[in-house]
Amino acid sequence: MKKYIIKNIERPDPRIIGDFKRFDVSTVYEAQGKRGLMNYELKPVIPGASICGPAVTVVCQAGDNLMIHAAIEVCQPGDILVITTIGESISGMIGELIVTALIKKGVQGVIISAGIRDAAQIRQLGFPIWSKAIYSEGTTKVKAGWVNAPAICGGIEVKPGDLIMADDDGVVLVKKDEVEEVYHRADKRVLKEEGTKKKIANGELSLDFYNLRETLAKENVMYYDNKEEMEKGYQKV
């Protein structure tokens, strides 16, 4: 199979990327119909960090980070490096030196369906990474793969230039040809949630404004004043 590196990719308009940054992962995930959420195994190395930008994809052979080094060259400021492997891997494929090089290129952060190491140093550098593991096991640099090819990361297909968002709730992808539509849906969802917050502040119950009492009734959920009344009620059945 042909291995390759694509130097130039189409990225979403920087304006829309900037607009997306006011949303969070959960809002975007819900706004696009509960799609695009990567596997829960991808955890933030720096809690509280958040990133939003276009994906530069890297497909490595398990235990080898040659293609990560190749990808650094094609990254542009604001990019997010999305890394996966052929075969399962928890090896420390990224450490302090690669992170330092990515910072120099202006890369926002990394999503990696494998391991990283030098976690303390990376936290000191303040570089956001979502990874499957933190593990010192080293890698080789001898096996070819792909840069800017379609990649499966966290159970989701990522294409170069797709929009990636990540925060404490996880990682979500928006397909680059759906960015505008999802933005408008997310904006409407935020407005709706602001209205819901006002209802809560006014003392309204979610059981009522979500019409959940009907669902409880359909599910045959019974109300009792206390445990004794419940037990007596069941005895009568």
Side-chain angles (χ1 to χ4, degrees), residues 44-89:
V45 175
I46 304 176
S50 62
I51 55 176
C52 177
V56 168
T57 61
V58 186
V59 181
C60 297
Q61 305 298 328
D64 190 286
N65 70 355
L66 173 65
M67 301 312 291
I68 298 176
H69 290 274
I72 295 171
E73 181 181 23
V74 305
C75 285
Q76 295 184 9
D79 284 345
I80 295 173
L81 206 59
V82 178
I83 303 165
T84 190
T85 59
I86 302 296
E88 288 292 317
S89 177

Side-chain angles (χ1 to χ4, degrees), residues 79-109:
D79 284 345
I80 295 173
L81 206 59
V82 178
I83 303 165
T84 190
T85 59
I86 302 296
E88 288 292 317
S89 177
I90 57 170
S91 299
M93 298 184 68
I94 281 184
E96 180 184 9
L97 297 181
I98 286 179
V99 164
T100 302
L102 291 172
I103 291 172
K104 182 68 174 178
K105 291 285 289 188
V107 173
Q108 281 193 64

